[in-house]
Amino acid sequence: MISFRRVIALACLSLALPVSAQSSDPTPVVDAPAGAVKGTSDGNVRVFKGIPYALPPVGGMRWRPPAPMPKWASVRTTADFGPACVQPQSKTPSLYSGGKMPVSEDCLTLNIWTPAKAKNAPVFVWIHGGALVGGSSREPIYDGKRLADRGVIVVSINYRLGVLGWLAHPALSAESPQRISGNYGLLDQIAALRWVHANIGAFGGNPGNVTIAGESAGALSVMYLLESPLARGLYAKAVSQSGYMVSMADLRKSVFGAPSGEGLGQMVAGGLQAPDLATLRGMDAQTITDSAAKLGFAPFGNVDGLVLPQQMTTAFDKGKQAPVPLLVGFNQGEIRSLMMLAPKPSASAADYEKAIRDRYGDLADDFLLLYPTADYKQSIIATTRDALYGWTAERMARKQTALGRPAFLYMFDHGYPAMEAAGLHAFHASELPFVFGTYDRTPPLWPMVPDTASERAFSDAMLDYWASFARDGRPTSANAPAWPAFGSAQAYMHFADKPIADTKLMPGMYALNEAVMCRKAYAGIAWNWNVGLVSPKLPAKSAACP
């Protein structure tokens, strides 16, 4: 086990060497405030991988806020990605699984792709997805070169996952000066943003023009960052792709039928037969991660009054989120690759309609208009998609617009032959290879994107939109339609065969799901994927909720 003192000694080892801030050399060197780094070149892009932004959270540092990395003295070689944060090692291949990744608790690193002649360039900080359980910034689909070719500095980050990143426990709260625990993965993300703010200028970036961005759990993280007061001033814009504004646990009290964050931590510790923190901190990282997952530990942020002061829905209702421009959206086929989130279909259409009427009461007619009995199996998929992703995207666009900030809404509805043959039209995360231009770097089981002029043009348009949003807060493309802000017209971009600007996405969808969320919240019921056939019986309309 690495001691805290040894970590600092290793970080500060050796003598300083002279370096240059700019270089066209195949191994460029940048002298940053954190220390000098030597990277590699990829065409006109300089690449720096595996830069540590905080001390390794090992040993006594496990389940503590990230500690600043001391300045290193010698030139640090950054030619290779750092290891992924510890996560369950799945034996079942999935659409999203790539090759086996090295994992470690010493994982708080970031990667930078920067144009060789960058000066005061916009910065795009990417937060990977994976349900806060898995994933890594080293995944090839997140390669930042194509965005960097458009003048954007791309930074991708690792953050603690699973039980190592999100465990709350009374003993952890007791040893904290703020008397809180959990949310360590989010604190890692904030530490990474602080590192970017302090160092990105040396790489040619503008610390005042940082965009935070992520997909799935990365988009959830973006929402957490929009709420957290600790992240204010560290970014100027936000991108949320397929986020989900579900109910959150409270640190110390049971809410919405779920145990408190600390209570859940006690249950996990009990299941691990760990009577104290010393035992937990002494356990092997992979063992504790795998064991906690088997015990059903699901990592989420918890409301602690400081890092996350309140429920996300409440924060956005009160206008307490960061007042920044927003690009937000979801995919038409989100659930087609996440069928575990959808309830098992009814035996018949009649059973489906009866169950919906029993559960939704006076909202049943509105529900069945949107999710009809005639094609109830597809309706089940659409119900879960909208309750998690569609409603969240439009809610964020509406709330940001209400703050007087531009919000740009999209629905990704794009297909291609291999995707359609697999029955996965516009599945969860399928926009990623087009946003990054990495359609040749998808995981092995991912439906292969054809190398055609039309697919390249489609990706070019998305790259243009995302890069220009990072640059000046307005998504534009010279070869694609103008993307209007959501505004009073409720505009959005429909990414179908080509980008198409439209208005009023899925009329009635937002109103229904907003009413359902409101009634559940006031009745003390959680809101997430417990919808449609697995919804609890909804309370009746009241003065508080439609």
Side-chain angles (χ1 to χ4, degrees):
M1 184 178 296
I2 302 175
S3 70
F4 178 71
R5 181 175 296 175
R6 179 164 172 75
V7 167
I8 290 188
L10 287 171
C12 298
L13 189 64
S14 77
L15 299 175
L17 297 173
V19 296
S20 60
Q22 299 285 336
S23 174
S24 58
D25 190 274
T27 56
V29 176
V30 167
D31 191 4
V37 291
K38 179 170 68 174
T40 60
S41 291
D42 186 357
N44 291 322
V45 174
R46 300 181 301 161
V47 186
F48 304 86
K49 300 175 180 177
I51 302 175
Y53 65 82
L55 287 171
V58 299
M61 300 299 289
R62 185 187 285 177
W63 295 305
R64 294 185 190 273
M69 187 78 181
K71 181 174 181 176
W72 50 89
S74 64
V75 179
R76 179 184 289 270
T77 299
T78 59
D80 299 312
F81 291 111
C85 290
V86 180
Q87 53 198 271
Q89 299 297 290
S90 173
K91 297 179 181 179
T92 305
S94 80
L95 192 68
Y96 303 104
S97 57
K100 189 174 178 63
M101 297 184 295
V103 299
S104 172
E105 282 191 277
D106 184 359
C107 64
L108 299 187
T109 61
L110 53 79
N111 318 295
I112 301 172
W113 290 261
T114 178
K117 296 182 180 179
K119 184 177 181 180
N120 210 36
V123 183
F124 184 85
V125 177
W126 181 255
I127 306 169
H128 70 78
L132 304 180
V133 172
S136 169
S137 65
R138 67 185 290 130
E139 294 176 37
I141 204 169
Y142 302 141
D143 188 284
K145 182 183 186 304
R146 294 290 303 281
L147 279 169
D149 282 337
R150 283 164 165 76
V152 176
I153 294 179
V154 178
V155 180
S156 62
I157 67 173
N158 285 344
Y159 56 95
R160 279 175 282 181
L161 303 167
V163 70
L164 296 176
W166 303 88
L167 181 75
H169 191 281
L172 290 171
S173 298
E175 69 177 20
S176 160
Q178 296 81 24
R179 297 295 184 263
I180 60 174
S181 59
N183 296 331
Y184 301 109
L186 180 57
L187 291 171
D188 293 343
Q189 295 168 15
I190 295 170
L193 289 172
R194 288 180 178 143
W195 191 97
V196 168
H197 191 267
N199 290 275
I200 205 64
F203 296 84
N206 179 357
N209 192 15
V210 172
T211 297
I212 54 172
E215 184 270 340
S216 194
L220 174 66
S221 297
V222 166
M223 285 188 281
Y224 289 159
L225 291 168
L226 286 169
E227 177 186 339
S228 180
L230 303 186
R232 293 297 163 85
L234 297 176
Y235 58 89
K237 295 179 289 294
V239 176
S240 175
Q241 301 169 212
S242 300
Y244 38 103
M245 197 176 283
V246 296
S247 50
M248 300 156 61
D250 187 275
L251 179 61
R252 290 193 174 86
K253 60 185 178 184
S254 174
V255 293
F256 307 119
S260 68
E262 290 184 343
L264 178 60
Q266 287 177 304
M267 286 188 278
V268 169
L272 295 171
Q273 299 181 5
D276 51 40
L277 288 184
T279 304
L280 282 172
R281 286 183 169 134
M283 293 180 69
D284 172 72
Q286 191 64 60
T287 299
I288 196 171
T289 295
D290 292 341
S291 299
K294 289 177 182 177
L295 289 169
F297 178 79
F300 281 101
N302 68 77
V303 176
D304 61 8
L306 177 64
V307 184
L308 292 170
Q310 55 202 320
Q311 292 290 326
M312 286 185 289
T313 47
T314 303
F316 277 75
D317 284 345
K318 293 182 176 180
K320 298 294 186 181
Q321 77 276 25
V324 298
L326 174 69
L327 191 156
V328 61
F330 70 108
N331 294 3
Q332 194 276 346
E334 297 278 9
I335 306 302
R336 292 192 178 103
S337 58
L338 301 174
M339 290 301 291
M340 75 290 290
L341 298 179
K344 182 180 178 182
S346 304
S348 68
D351 289 341
Y352 168 80
E353 181 167 345
K354 182 179 184 302
I356 295 303
R357 293 197 178 279
D358 286 346
R359 286 164 170 75
Y360 283 81
D362 62 293
L363 291 176
D365 286 341
D366 292 338
F367 185 101
L368 292 168
L369 183 65
L370 288 167
Y371 313 109
T373 303
D375 196 4
Y376 71 95
K377 291 183 180 179
Q378 289 303 312
S379 290
I380 290 169
I381 295 173
T383 297
T384 307
R385 173 200 67 201
D386 293 349
L388 286 176
Y389 305 106
W391 164 75
T392 294
E394 185 164 341
R395 188 173 219 271
M396 292 179 72
R398 285 172 177 260
K399 300 299 183 181
Q400 218 65 7
T401 300
L403 279 183
R405 296 297 184 269
F408 299 90
L409 178 65
Y410 74 85
M411 181 174 72
F412 186 83
D413 193 13
H414 185 70
Y416 50 85
M419 180 194 283
E420 303 304 324
L424 292 171
H425 178 79
F427 63 92
H428 184 69
S430 60
E431 85 284 5
L432 289 176
F434 298 99
V435 167
F436 282 92
T438 50
Y439 33 80
D440 59 343
R441 299 191 179 192
T442 54
L445 298 181
W446 196 284
M448 184 175 293
V449 181
D451 185 13
T452 63
S454 61
E455 296 300 332
R456 290 193 297 271
F458 184 84
S459 178
D460 284 342
M462 296 195 77
L463 280 158
D464 287 346
Y465 285 133
W466 264 246
S468 58
F469 180 79
R471 183 179 63 244
D472 57 27
R474 300 198 69 84
T476 58
S477 175
N479 300 308
W483 186 342
F486 182 78
S488 59
Q490 300 179 24
Y492 73 100
M493 186 63 76
H494 185 189
F495 288 102
D497 290 340
K498 298 178 180 179
I500 302 168
D502 207 342
T503 59
K504 295 182 172 56
L505 171 66
M506 297 181 182
M509 179 274 289
Y510 175 78
L512 172 67
N513 283 283
E514 183 73 7
V516 170
M517 182 280 297
C518 185
R519 293 190 191 189
K520 286 181 177 179
Y522 272 88
I525 300 169
W527 61 95
N528 41 61
W529 42 88
N530 57 343
V531 294
L533 296 176
V534 293
S535 173
K537 191 164 184 175
L538 293 179
K541 178 167 60 174
S542 68
C545 298

